[in-house]
Amino acid sequence: MNIRELARRSGVSTATVSRALNDRAEVSEATRAKIRRLASELGYAPNEPARTLVRRRSDTIGLVWDSGQEALGQHNPFLLGLLSAVRTALSDADYHLMLLTTPGEQDQDGAHLQAVQRHNLEGVIVLTTPPDDRCLRVLADSTVPCAGIDTAFTGPRTVRVSSDNAAGAEAAVQHLYELGHRRIATVTGPLHLPPAAERLAGYLRACSRLGLSVPPEYVTEGDFFLASGEAAGKRLLSVPDRPTAIFAAGDQMAIGAIHAAADAGLSVPRDLAVVGFDDIDAAALVRPALSTVAQDQRGLGVAAVEALRGLIDSTTVDTVEAQPRIIPTRLLIRGSSRPGV
């Protein structure tokens, strides 16, 4: 079945079929409905490259995803869930998704931009790409609409989407304070990443507001993965005036801290309370179940797609940076912080 046969059976020209399937205004609703019904019955599917040329739109969004850890064999389950949320949000908005491969060291700095131009992509969503990525810098400096989730990049047509990391961290510290803890330490993520820096800022702000002392040894850096959380937990539990509670900026690190407490013969939450961030699936599976600050993965995905569509539909290139989309978090209280939960 091709467009000529569909036109013959519809009793119209191939040009009319093309206009009807591309929602052009020149075709009456009755004719459009008839052609679409026949196309469905006969199993006709338009040629996408040709359709793209006619409509000057591809309905395809590129995705750049490189946390810098996959090459080391480390996988962040929260990012996998976020990828699924973005894919669902794009599908609900009738967009296709194309994954842009991570350029190698020998690739040109414009590799991402060239891929966008070659495939006529309408925009790009960026997930947690390292801030020193040269290809990303070239892309952000162009006029290609870009939405970054937890990514620090700016440009004439870029917008950032993020959870309210600072408020989430403050809520975690407030919860521990209300349980009676006054020696609250934190395990941060890599501080060159915006989520890690913002969560540390929220922790410090809450401690200052509550009048809590934060000795330098109470702030230790991890990498969002389990082993770093366990190592950080051991460091924190070895200080002379050890903390009674730990806020970890990621669930995997929080679970690692629980492992460190078990190795030290401490009971969680009786001897040490632990709160994480993200609400990955494992948070509810460990024992005691992990109290955590839950991020809204679906909300992040929907906000990124909506923000990107706003940039795509805009006819001008803004000289003022678009306002970031901030998605609220919520505190989930489980057994790792409150006995009996």
Side-chain angles (χ1 to χ4, degrees), residues 3-187:
I3 192 170
R4 295 184 187 86
E5 181 63 15
L6 179 59
R8 186 185 69 80
R9 298 196 187 194
S10 302
V12 298
S13 67
T14 56
T16 299
V17 170
S18 177
R19 294 188 186 102
L21 296 179
N22 286 297
D23 290 327
R24 297 283 293 275
E26 300 96 320
V27 182
S28 70
E29 284 301 323
T31 301
R32 189 193 324 275
K34 176 184 176 182
I35 292 172
R36 287 184 173 234
R37 177 178 55 79
L38 278 173
S40 177
E41 292 175 357
L42 299 172
Y44 172 74
N47 180 285
E48 283 300 327
R51 193 164 181 253
T52 295
L53 288 174
V54 171
R55 298 172 65 240
R56 296 184 181 180
R57 298 190 62 169
S58 66
D59 294 331
T60 302
I61 301 298
L63 178 74
V64 177
W65 177 24
D66 177 21
S67 69
Q69 298 294 332
E70 282 70 26
L72 303 176
Q74 295 176 309
H75 302 282
N76 189 322
F78 176 78
L79 294 183
L80 293 173
L82 184 57
L83 174 60
S84 178
V86 168
R87 181 186 61 193
T88 299
L90 285 171
S91 178
D92 291 345
D94 295 324
Y95 280 101
H96 305 295
L97 175 65
M98 176 179 289
L99 182 63
L100 303 183
T101 58
T102 303
E105 293 184 0
Q106 304 303 318
D107 289 320
Q108 296 180 356
D109 292 354
H112 286 331
L113 180 58
Q114 291 169 7
V116 169
Q117 295 168 338
R118 184 164 58 250
H119 298 287
N120 196 29
L121 303 183
E122 296 195 35
V124 175
I125 292 177
V126 181
L127 299 186
T128 63
T129 299
D132 58 350
D133 188 304
R134 302 187 312 276
C135 290
L136 181 60
R137 182 68 268 155
V138 172
L139 183 64
D141 288 339
S142 74
T143 57
V144 174
C146 296
I149 302 180
D150 283 342
T151 299
F153 75 123
T154 58
R157 303 195 74 187
T158 63
V159 61
R160 183 185 175 213
V161 178
S162 174
S163 292
D164 198 339
N165 291 297
E170 287 194 68
V173 174
Q174 181 71 40
H175 165 63
L176 293 168
Y177 181 87
E178 291 173 355
L179 292 174
H181 295 282
R182 298 298 181 265
R183 301 197 303 273
I184 304 173
T186 187
V187 182

Side-chain angles (χ1 to χ4, degrees), residues 80-329:
L80 293 173
L82 184 57
L83 174 60
S84 178
V86 168
R87 181 186 61 193
T88 299
L90 285 171
S91 178
D92 291 345
D94 295 324
Y95 280 101
H96 305 295
L97 175 65
M98 176 179 289
L99 182 63
L100 303 183
T101 58
T102 303
E105 293 184 0
Q106 304 303 318
D107 289 320
Q108 296 180 356
D109 292 354
H112 286 331
L113 180 58
Q114 291 169 7
V116 169
Q117 295 168 338
R118 184 164 58 250
H119 298 287
N120 196 29
L121 303 183
E122 296 195 35
V124 175
I125 292 177
V126 181
L127 299 186
T128 63
T129 299
D132 58 350
D133 188 304
R134 302 187 312 276
C135 290
L136 181 60
R137 182 68 268 155
V138 172
L139 183 64
D141 288 339
S142 74
T143 57
V144 174
C146 296
I149 302 180
D150 283 342
T151 299
F153 75 123
T154 58
R157 303 195 74 187
T158 63
V159 61
R160 183 185 175 213
V161 178
S162 174
S163 292
D164 198 339
N165 291 297
E170 287 194 68
V173 174
Q174 181 71 40
H175 165 63
L176 293 168
Y177 181 87
E178 291 173 355
L179 292 174
H181 295 282
R182 298 298 181 265
R183 301 197 303 273
I184 304 173
T186 187
V187 182
T188 76
L191 292 176
H192 66 277
L193 298 178
E198 291 165 3
R199 291 169 199 176
L200 174 60
Y203 160 84
L204 293 173
R205 189 160 62 219
C207 289
S208 175
R209 175 172 52 81
L210 297 169
L212 300 180
S213 173
V214 182
E217 59 269 24
Y218 272 24
V219 179
T220 183
E221 186 171 336
D223 62 6
F224 284 129
F225 293 96
L226 189 144
S228 73
E230 185 169 356
K234 290 179 178 179
R235 290 195 297 273
L236 291 171
L237 296 177
S238 67
V239 302
D241 196 18
R242 73 166 182 82
T244 62
I246 293 176
F247 163 60
D251 283 347
Q252 287 198 69
M253 296 191 300
I255 294 171
I258 292 175
H259 290 182
D263 291 344
L266 300 177
S267 173
V268 175
R270 186 187 64 203
D271 302 317
L272 179 73
V274 179
V275 177
F277 205 110
D278 287 337
D279 192 32
I280 62 175
D281 289 343
L285 300 178
V286 295
R287 288 296 177 266
L290 181 65
S291 295
T292 187
V293 178
Q295 297 196 70
D296 182 358
Q297 292 178 327
R298 175 165 176 75
L300 287 167
V302 170
V305 172
E306 288 180 348
L308 187 62
R309 292 182 70 180
L311 292 174
I312 292 171
D313 293 339
S314 173
T315 57
T316 61
V317 177
D318 295 329
T319 57
V320 179
E321 182 180 350
Q323 288 297 312
R325 303 286 187 96
I326 306 299
I327 308 303
T329 59

